[in-house]
Amino acid sequence: DAETFRPVRTFERDEPGNLTSVAFSPDGNLLAAGFGLSSAESSNVELWDVDRGERVATMPGVGNSPAYASDIRYCPVNSLVFSPDGKQLAAGFGYRFLYSFLLADSVAKIWDVESRREIRQLEGHDNLVISVAYSPDGKRFATASYDGSIRLWNTANWQLVQILDNPDEHTDVGRRRVL
C-alpha cells in the first residue's frame, strides 16, 4: 500500500532463486519476474497473476540457447518490459562476469503473452543486454548492451533498423568494448 508502506501481496515460490528484474503488464493484472543469477538456478521468466498471487507460467531463459557454452546453464534476466498493448513480453539477458569469449552474443527474447510462446530472439550485441524498451506506440523496440550500443528494431518484422554506438573512448563501454 503506497500510503501505509505495508505489503498487500506476497508472491511465494517453492524454488530458490535470485530475482533480477520485474515488470507489470499495462493493465496491472500480470507481474513478470526474471530469475537466473547463479549456477544453482536456471534462467527463466515467470508470469504471476497479481490478484490471486499465483504463478501462471514459466518461460525458459537462455540456458538452452546455442549462444552459450554447454556448461553454462544460467544467465540473469537483466530487464523486462511488456509491449504497450500488453500482448508481448520482452527480456534482456546476459551475465556481467562471464567474459565474452564464453558466449557468442547476449540476447533479448520476445514472448507472446497469451500463448506464452517465444516469438523472437534478437541477437547481435557483443555483451550483456542490460535494458529493453518499447516505443509508446509499440512500433519500435530498443535493446541496450554493456557493449556500448543500442539497437533499434522494427516490431512489425523484427528487422534491425539502426545501431547507435557510444562514441566516448574514455568510458568503460565506449567504442563497443567488452568486459
Side-chain angles (χ1 to χ4, degrees):
D1 183 294
E3 291 182 18
T4 65
F5 299 106
R6 291 192 175 124
V8 293
R9 170 86 53 217
T10 301
F11 296 88
E12 303 284 336
R13 295 180 79 231
D14 294 333
E15 309 86 16
N18 292 293
L19 179 65
T20 56
S21 57
V22 294
F24 276 105
S25 61
D27 64 9
N29 292 330
L30 293 174
L31 177 69
F35 296 88
L37 192 58
S38 74
S39 59
E41 62 183 300
S42 295
S43 171
N44 64 62
V45 174
E46 296 178 355
L47 283 180
W48 290 77
D49 180 297
V50 174
D51 292 332
R52 295 191 323 247
E54 294 177 3
R55 182 174 43 200
V56 295
T58 300
M59 285 96 70
V62 296
N64 60 347
S65 173
Y68 289 84
S70 61
D71 61 336
I72 298 171
R73 299 281 182 248
Y74 60 97
C75 193
V77 180
N78 297 312
S79 182
L80 288 166
V81 65
F82 283 88
S83 60
D85 63 7
K87 293 181 179 182
Q88 296 174 351
L89 173 65
F93 295 90
Y95 192 65
R96 183 176 178 170
F97 302 108
L98 291 176
Y99 291 97
S100 60
F101 67 84
L102 291 176
L103 49 108
D105 297 334
S106 291
V107 299
K109 283 189 173 190
I110 316 294
W111 291 277
D112 176 81
V113 172
E114 186 176 339
S115 70
R116 306 335 192 222
R117 287 186 171 176
E118 181 182 325
I119 58 174
R120 184 64 65 176
Q121 181 167 296
L122 304 174
E123 300 177 350
H125 285 293
D126 294 328
N127 214 309
L128 63 117
V129 176
I130 56 175
S131 186
V132 292
Y134 281 90
S135 63
D137 64 6
K139 293 181 180 180
R140 296 278 189 250
F141 181 74
T143 55
S145 172
Y146 207 79
D147 66 11
S149 72
I150 297 170
R151 291 175 178 261
L152 300 177
W153 309 84
N154 179 332
T155 60
N157 58 15
W158 292 105
Q159 294 299 306
L160 182 63
V161 175
Q162 187 174 7
I163 299 173
L164 306 171
D165 282 319
N166 179 357
D168 186 354
E169 296 178 3
H170 303 290
T171 64
D172 290 341
V173 293
R175 294 283 184 200
R176 302 178 56 74
R177 293 181 192 148
V178 291
L179 293 174

